[in-house]
Amino acid sequence: MRGATLAILALIGITRAAVAQESKGSFLVQHGRTDDGRYVTRTVPYEPSAGDLIFFNNHKPHWVVLYKMVGSDAPYHSGLIFRKSNGQFATVEAGPDDTAWCRTLPLTPRLHEFKGMIHIRRVKNKISPEKEKALEEFAQAQEGKRYAWLRVLLQTTPFRCRGPVRRDLFGATYTDRVSYMCAELAVAGGTVAGLFDPKKHPGNAIYPRDIIYDDNFDISATYHPAELWSPFPLPDPPRAIFGMPQALASEASATSSAPVSAPR
């Protein structure tokens, strides 16, 4: 499904150009199968929950090179979504938009103003009100802390908590330190919320790539697969907006209205 991402982005771009939108929304792109076995792609409204993981990719060359050097890949930034006591959702992030600080940012503006690609991993089960409060307190306490630039640079050296030996010896999740890397902060917050096991998911040994596709750390027990976020829905049905022949458009129309076995 990863290979379909660029195609879906192109379709969303066509939709934005072809369909007049009164206002931007918040949607997730889902892939699934109909009951008769056909694959179908659709968008559904995104309803955030405390503990959702958020991933950013701005395709900047310096991050591409750095992550390649340490044996990883996109996405190049991650954060965690929490709910404030007033009911509003926000993100807690270390170094958003290449800044040097940890920040808490209102979710909706963050989604719409980011210049790049965003993916969301939704929690499978909502966390308890007590865990939500603990997560909010954790997130608010990170505001203004430093981004861990020195430890980021150390990722290109042997002095890092990656690999089976160093991870076992030095890997850990710290929920109160003076500086964080981005995925480290997300995992620390998720640990406070009971979504990560600190014995299995050492925050200082984790990169965004590790927890978006379960490449190195499988979190599928608590999180749905990552889904592309979009401010606009895909057309339903697609029809001529994709330049399809009428026969294919008719089939697409039938497919888009068929029941789909995709996570909700």
Side-chain angles (χ1 to χ4, degrees):
M1 292 300 179
R2 300 180 201 174
T5 300
L6 291 179
I8 297 302
L9 286 174
L11 298 184
I12 292 172
I14 295 172
T15 305
R16 294 174 65 172
V19 181
Q21 302 284 346
E22 293 183 0
S23 62
K24 293 181 180 180
S26 186
F27 300 89
L28 296 176
V29 179
Q30 293 185 342
H31 309 282
R33 278 187 175 183
T34 61
D35 291 338
D36 59 0
R38 288 177 294 172
Y39 285 99
V40 61
T41 297
R42 66 177 182 181
T43 43
V44 298
Y46 172 47
E47 300 176 358
S49 294
D52 287 354
L53 289 165
I54 183 167
F55 300 88
F56 303 86
N57 189 353
N58 57 13
H59 309 283
K60 289 187 176 179
H62 62 277
W63 289 119
V64 176
V65 172
L66 179 61
Y67 275 95
K68 291 291 186 182
M69 288 176 63
V70 300
S72 190
D73 207 338
Y76 307 122
H77 180 65
S78 59
L80 192 70
I81 293 170
F82 71 99
R83 177 154 47 188
K84 295 182 177 181
S85 55
N86 62 6
Q88 298 297 310
F89 286 95
T91 67
V92 58
E93 304 174 46
D97 299 323
D98 292 357
T99 56
W101 309 100
C102 297
R103 298 289 311 281
T104 58
L105 303 169
L107 177 59
T108 298
R110 182 68 170 132
L111 289 169
H112 288 284
E113 294 172 5
F114 179 71
K115 301 296 190 293
M117 187 187 303
I118 295 175
H119 284 80
I120 303 286
R121 283 198 79 164
R122 295 172 296 121
V123 293
K124 287 187 172 180
N125 298 295
K126 294 183 182 297
I127 61 177
S128 68
E130 294 77 18
K131 291 293 187 182
E132 276 203 19
K133 182 178 179 180
L135 177 56
E136 181 196 7
E137 291 175 352
F138 166 84
Q140 299 288 15
Q142 310 317 309
E143 179 70 35
K145 289 185 178 181
R146 291 183 291 106
Y147 180 66
W149 278 110
L150 178 59
R151 286 193 291 118
V152 168
L153 296 177
L154 287 177
Q155 301 307 302
T156 62
T157 75
F159 303 101
R160 56 177 178 154
C161 298
R162 296 280 288 186
V165 176
R166 291 186 297 275
R167 184 176 63 211
D168 292 341
L169 290 175
F170 307 112
T173 297
Y174 300 96
T175 57
D176 185 17
R177 65 187 318 175
V178 298
S179 63
Y180 281 98
M181 297 183 292
C182 65
E184 179 186 27
L185 179 59
V187 172
T191 300
V192 170
L195 297 166
F196 288 86
D197 182 347
K199 295 181 180 180
K200 297 179 179 178
H201 312 117
N204 63 355
I206 290 177
Y207 299 155
R209 177 78 178 199
D210 299 329
I211 51 175
I212 188 174
Y213 295 126
D214 300 322
D215 282 355
N216 294 316
F217 298 92
D218 188 354
I219 58 172
S220 60
T222 49
Y223 283 94
H224 288 294
E227 297 164 323
L228 180 68
W229 179 86
S230 171
F232 299 100
L234 289 170
D236 184 18
R239 289 196 222 278
I241 211 167
F242 303 118
M244 291 188 297
Q246 183 59 45
L248 291 179
S250 299
E251 180 178 353
S253 177
T255 301
S256 64
S257 60
V260 179
S261 55
R264 297 303 300 271

